[in-house]
Amino acid sequence: MRREMTKAESPPARPSARRRAHAPHTALTARETARPPLELMKEGPPPGLVRRLFVTVRHAVGLMAGGIVARANASKAHGARAGPREAFIRVIAVPLRPLLLRELREAPFPVQLRRRLELLGPTYIKLGQILSLREDILPRSVTSELRRLLNQLPIVPFPRYRELVEDGLGRPITAMFSWIDPVPLGSASIAQIHRARTLDGAEVVLKVVKPGIRDTLHRDARLLRGLGRLLEVVVPHYQPRRIISEFVSYTEREVDLRREASNATTFRVNFADMPDVVFPAIYTQYSGESVLCMEFLDGPRPDDEAARTLPVADRERLLDRGAASIIRMIYRDGFFHADLHPGNLLVLPGPKVGFIDLGMVGHLDAELRRLLLFYYYSLVTGDAESAARYLGAVAEPGRGADPAGFRREVTEISGRWRNAATFDSFSLAQLVLESVTLGAQYRMYFPMEMVLMVKALITFEGVGQVMLPGIDIARVSRAHIRRIFLEQFNPVRIVREELKSAPDLVDALAKMPLLITEGVRVLERSTQARAPSPMAGLRGALLAGFSIVAGALVLALRGPWPAWTLLFTAGLAIALRGAKE
């Protein structure tokens, strides 16, 4: 096999952009060419649950002790006279300091947290990367530091990588590929990526789950769930149980590469009418649960010099297509790229926009998508009060929540942005992030999907300012969001949505005559059982009016046909009965 692979055609020379086109945040960049060689991953059976629990508890206790020491260090640095509480913390910190790792004794708490997550390994690094998004719950000093977590982890040796490909697909390498690049494009916490070429000459990317990672994730997930329940008692306002549950759910989905293949297919179907927005094709014959083979897209990142020096017209077109695609993902399809950053965007010939690394996606149900659409529409049209109202409806109030105060604050910062809507002062993405971040202050918590959506908007706005400094993102977005907004009220779309409840409608129509007849009989028996009352006509009129008004309300709120049809019919039947009497 080795001799046949040696005979295979060697890869063509290619610029650095080609080498990193499919890497996630682990991609090689021109600024990283001088880094040391990658560390090799040491493979072996993962430690048992008890041993892992001991290591996790040791780092958790060390982090708490480090937090006390960091607090004492900060108190001394400020130079202010210590009160009783600060003096007590300084006394406690003295015996704790020698117990800490030497490198962490003088480090602030966010740095200690980031470093201990790195020491705990891939699962906790992934957890830290998710936590770095939660600016709506965690302090900004913490989230900023967590963004510096290791993103280039030890690599699987190439011979072992080849074995993983063969084991995952059940065939020898030479039956599928004529060449696999021995140097990885990237190595993240879950998978490792290499370029390859199929026997028929197709340039592809191979993504393989690292050995033992599933067992490690499942073991750590059990420990994290227990830790979440414990922290929920200590710091409930940070919602640790909810954050950990979301993390475990997303991570377990990422380990199954068939989900990423399905995501790519869904995106390609959703954007079939937009040929200038590209997602990699999946080679299902070379893909499985642990191996994913996808089309290699060749192009630079949007923050590369090659993209930033394109003609102005091309850059404007790229940003317009980018805005259209992100708005469509979020507000029309409710299925969006949830790990968006410049390394996952490509500038393709045409010019076209390419999206890669589709393992992490966000799902928005119809109600959440509708509220977020109205919120974003209100922002870009300058309606601060409506924007605050819709954003407040998205949030989930916690203990001691102040929804009215939250809406007032959001209205104020939205109005401030409307009066100074430039990237240098206060950008649209910054406005959304600031509004979401206010939630923790008022005990208003947002779903993870909302946070991921904000990340996508921030990424797009940042890329836009790099490619075309001074661009007005609100102006670029306005036409696309209005188009999506109007589509929501398209009569054809409304009818199509209502037809989804056709079985319920048919069932209600079949039962309607019986329901009306039984209703009239009940009314007849009730009127015959007692003497007519002078208020009978009034009661009938009120009941009829109530039924008709209720039906109108259900219709206005776009309720299902059976509900408002029955209410209308009942009201009319009661009214007709009263007219006959």
Side-chain angles (χ1 to χ4, degrees):
M1 180 189 300
R2 183 175 300 275
R3 188 180 62 181
E4 292 177 3
M5 293 295 292
T6 304
K7 286 183 177 180
E9 180 186 357
S10 60
R14 53 196 184 278
S16 60
R18 290 176 61 96
R19 289 204 45 79
R20 62 175 179 269
H22 263 275
H25 10 270
T26 62
L28 295 172
T29 68
R31 294 177 292 274
E32 297 173 326
T33 53
R35 73 179 180 195
L38 294 174
E39 178 186 352
L40 291 180
M41 177 180 173
K42 297 178 181 178
E43 188 176 351
L49 185 64
V50 174
R51 181 181 173 188
R52 186 60 170 174
L53 174 62
F54 174 77
V55 173
T56 304
V57 169
R58 178 165 58 84
H59 279 286
V61 173
L63 183 62
M64 289 189 286
I68 295 174
V69 173
R71 175 73 177 270
N73 292 341
S75 176
K76 290 179 181 178
H78 290 155
R81 178 177 295 180
R85 184 176 180 182
E86 295 298 326
F88 178 74
I89 290 176
R90 292 183 184 181
V91 171
I92 294 296
V94 172
L96 293 178
R97 189 185 304 273
L99 302 179
L100 298 179
L101 296 173
R102 187 180 299 275
E103 62 176 300
L104 300 179
R105 290 175 185 173
E106 304 301 326
F109 178 78
V111 174
Q112 295 191 43
L113 174 61
R114 187 259 303 168
R115 183 59 184 141
R116 288 191 182 275
L117 290 175
E118 290 175 345
L119 293 173
L120 281 167
T123 304
Y124 291 87
I125 291 175
K126 189 72 176 177
L127 173 61
Q129 291 168 348
I130 295 294
L131 291 177
S132 71
L133 305 175
R134 299 310 308 248
E135 292 195 24
D136 59 319
I137 296 177
L138 300 175
R140 189 162 295 177
S141 59
V142 172
T143 57
S144 298
E145 183 64 32
L146 290 180
R147 293 194 189 100
R148 302 178 58 193
L149 279 164
L150 291 174
N151 53 18
Q152 185 70 62
L153 297 182
I155 64 170
V156 177
F158 185 59
R160 178 62 174 136
Y161 181 88
R162 288 160 49 99
E163 292 177 5
L164 293 173
V165 174
E166 293 181 334
D167 293 343
L169 299 178
R171 284 170 284 174
I173 290 286
T174 52
M176 300 177 286
F177 304 103
S178 61
W179 165 78
I180 298 179
D181 192 344
V183 179
L185 286 172
S187 176
S189 56
I190 292 177
Q192 185 167 310
I193 303 174
H194 289 245
R195 277 197 62 193
R197 184 180 299 117
T198 64
L199 291 179
D200 57 4
E203 297 291 332
V204 297
V205 171
L206 273 178
K207 184 174 185 178
V208 178
V209 174
K210 291 182 175 180
I213 194 65
R214 284 194 180 86
D215 293 337
T216 300
L217 287 175
H218 292 326
R219 178 204 60 204
D220 288 344
R222 293 172 61 187
L223 296 176
L224 284 171
R225 287 193 176 100
L227 178 62
R229 286 191 289 269
L230 177 63
L231 292 176
E232 191 73 25
V233 178
V234 181
V235 284
H237 54 286
Y238 287 141
Q239 294 195 319
R241 189 172 183 178
R242 176 178 176 176
I243 292 176
I244 288 175
S245 177
E246 289 173 342
F247 160 73
V248 170
S249 176
Y250 272 100
T251 305
E252 287 179 344
R253 287 199 294 266
E254 281 194 79
V255 174
D256 188 348
L257 296 185
R258 292 172 298 186
R259 290 184 177 272
E260 183 170 350
S262 175
N263 295 340
T265 302
T266 300
F267 279 124
R268 287 173 64 86
V269 171
N270 289 348
F271 285 83
D273 60 331
M274 292 180 65
D276 44 5
V277 178
V278 181
F279 298 87
I282 302 299
Y283 291 78
T284 55
Q285 68 271 35
Y286 306 132
S287 300
E289 183 179 7
S290 301
V291 181
L292 178 63
C293 181
M294 51 190 160
E295 175 187 8
F296 173 72
L297 301 182
D298 187 6
R301 290 169 40 145
D303 54 354
D304 283 344
E305 183 68 19
R308 291 187 283 113
T309 56
L310 288 172
V312 173
D314 287 349
R315 284 179 279 159
E316 288 179 342
R317 176 178 174 80
L318 285 168
L319 292 177
D320 182 76
R321 292 295 83 194
S325 57
I326 291 173
I327 288 173
R328 174 186 282 208
M329 286 181 194
I330 296 172
Y331 302 111
R332 193 198 74 169
D333 302 330
F335 183 83
F336 63 95
H337 196 311
D339 191 20
L340 206 58
H341 55 80
N344 287 342
L345 291 169
L346 299 176
V347 176
L348 306 177
K352 299 179 181 180
V353 178
F355 290 86
I356 58 175
D357 196 8
L358 308 173
M360 191 173 181
V361 297
H363 297 267
L364 302 174
D365 59 44
E367 179 64 16
L368 181 56
R369 187 166 69 247
R370 182 179 65 85
L371 289 172
L372 291 177
L373 170 64
F374 293 168
Y375 167 64
Y376 196 75
Y377 179 81
S378 300
L379 282 182
V380 299
T381 56
D383 187 352
E385 291 79 9
S386 295
R389 187 173 69 255
Y390 290 125
L391 186 62
V394 172
E396 177 184 337
R399 291 181 182 177
D402 182 11
F406 174 72
R407 287 194 296 269
R408 283 195 302 270
E409 191 75 20
V410 172
T411 301
E412 180 182 337
I413 65 172
S414 299
R416 192 164 70 239
W417 171 81
R418 181 180 57 193
N419 297 327
T422 63
F423 184 81
D424 293 334
S425 59
F426 203 43
S427 71
L428 179 61
Q430 286 174 320
L431 167 64
V432 178
L433 178 61
E434 187 74 20
S435 301
V436 172
T437 303
L438 281 172
Q441 179 180 339
Y442 292 91
R443 298 292 190 265
M444 302 284 286
Y445 301 108
F446 292 92
M448 182 65 176
E449 286 77 10
M450 176 73 180
V451 180
L452 295 173
M453 183 206 77
V454 173
K455 181 189 177 186
L457 295 176
I458 291 173
T459 297
F460 169 67
E461 188 170 77
V463 166
Q465 295 302 325
V466 169
M467 294 190 67
L468 207 62
I471 186 173
D472 185 349
I473 296 297
R475 180 187 58 80
V476 174
S477 303
R478 196 171 292 126
H480 301 298
I481 200 68
R482 279 178 174 162
R483 186 178 301 112
I484 301 295
F485 187 83
L486 292 175
E487 284 180 5
Q488 301 298 310
F489 299 98
N490 187 318
V492 176
R493 181 187 177 280
I494 293 174
V495 171
R496 188 183 299 119
E497 291 294 324
E498 295 297 343
L499 285 177
K500 293 179 180 178
S501 59
D504 295 330
L505 173 63
V506 172
D507 183 62
L509 290 175
K511 294 178 179 179
M512 191 179 299
L514 178 61
L515 292 173
I516 295 174
T517 303
E518 289 299 322
V520 171
R521 286 177 180 172
V522 170
L523 287 174
E524 286 178 345
R525 287 196 293 269
S526 63
T527 55
Q528 292 172 1
R530 57 184 181 272
S533 167
M535 300 295 292
L538 179 60
R539 285 199 301 269
L542 289 174
L543 184 59
F546 173 78
S547 298
I548 293 173
V549 171
L553 285 173
V554 174
L555 175 60
L557 294 173
R558 297 183 60 201
W561 281 13
W564 58 260
T565 304
L566 284 174
L567 288 168
F568 271 132
T569 306
L572 291 175
I574 296 170
L576 291 173
R577 179 69 179 177
K580 288 179 66 178
E581 294 179 350

